[in-house]
Amino acid sequence: MLSMTDQQAFEELKKFFETRSACEAAADSLRQSVEIGIIVEGLSCAFFKDGNKPRFEQRPAKDPDVVFTMKTQAVESLVNDPSNDIAELGINIAKSYLNKNMKIKVTGSMIALLTNGYLGVIKAGGMSFAKFLGSYGISGLGKIKDVIQSMRK
C-alpha cells in the first residue's frame, strides 16, 4: 500500500472526524473552547467542537491540553476502521499508541484535563474500553493519572 501524503491524511481525517458519530460522541464531552492538537507527519491540525459538531482544521490547535502526533499508519488504521463505536475508536487510538505509530503528549494541567471534559470521553468508551485499558494494567483514576503523568515527559 502506498503511504498517503500529508494532505491526503488531513482530508481523510477531516472526513473521519466530522462525519463519524463516534467522533461526535467523543467531542460531545469536551468543553466548547477545547482544542486538541493533531500532528500528522509534521502537518499541524486542530480538532474541536463548533456548537454540537466536531470540526477538524489544518492549523495549529489553540492552547491544546493534549497533542497527538500520528504517523500515516495510525491515520490509515483510524480512517479504515469501519466501527462507529466510541470504545472501538479509543481502542484503535490506544493500539496505535502502543504500536508506536502515535505519540500522545499531555500539555495541559491535570485540572484542565478534569474540567475540560477529557474524562467524559474515556467514560463514554464504556466497559469495553475500560476492559481494554485494564488488560494493560490501567484501571482506576490513580492508574489513569500515572499514565497521564508519563505522557507529560
Side-chain angles (χ1 to χ4, degrees):
M1 171 188 263
L2 292 172
S3 182
M4 59 176 64
T5 66
D6 293 352
Q7 190 61 38
Q8 288 169 322
F10 166 75
E11 289 168 11
E12 290 291 323
L13 282 172
K14 181 171 181 63
K15 183 170 78 173
F16 176 82
F17 284 128
E18 293 187 358
T19 63
R20 292 272 184 110
S21 62
C23 297
E24 191 171 332
D28 192 47
S29 296
L30 298 174
R31 288 181 102 180
Q32 197 64 42
S33 61
V34 170
E35 292 197 5
I36 296 172
I38 298 176
I39 301 169
V40 182
E41 302 285 349
L43 184 69
S44 292
C45 303
F47 176 75
F48 58 98
K49 186 168 63 173
D50 182 15
N52 290 330
K53 294 289 182 196
R55 295 285 175 247
F56 189 68
E57 293 182 355
Q58 189 173 323
R59 63 168 175 78
K62 296 174 190 154
D63 197 25
D65 297 313
V66 181
V67 177
F68 293 82
T69 303
M70 304 171 74
K71 294 181 180 178
T72 54
Q73 296 94 319
V75 173
E76 289 168 354
S77 174
L78 203 56
V79 300
N80 292 327
D81 185 340
S83 176
N84 211 5
D85 179 76
I86 194 166
E88 290 301 317
L89 172 65
I91 290 169
N92 191 320
I93 290 169
K95 285 180 177 176
S96 287
Y97 174 79
L98 293 168
N99 291 333
K100 302 202 183 315
N101 287 326
M102 178 185 302
K103 292 179 184 171
I104 304 171
K105 182 159 179 75
V106 175
T107 56
S109 68
M110 192 59 76
I111 298 291
L113 295 177
L114 292 171
T115 59
N116 285 338
Y118 295 97
L119 289 181
V121 176
I122 293 171
K123 184 179 174 187
M127 282 307 296
S128 56
F129 186 59
K131 284 181 184 178
F132 176 82
L133 292 177
S135 72
Y136 286 90
I138 305 167
S139 57
L141 285 178
K143 293 285 187 182
I144 290 172
K145 182 179 179 241
D146 292 345
V147 169
I148 290 169
Q149 293 292 25
S150 74
M151 291 176 175
R152 290 183 161 302
K153 299 174 182 161

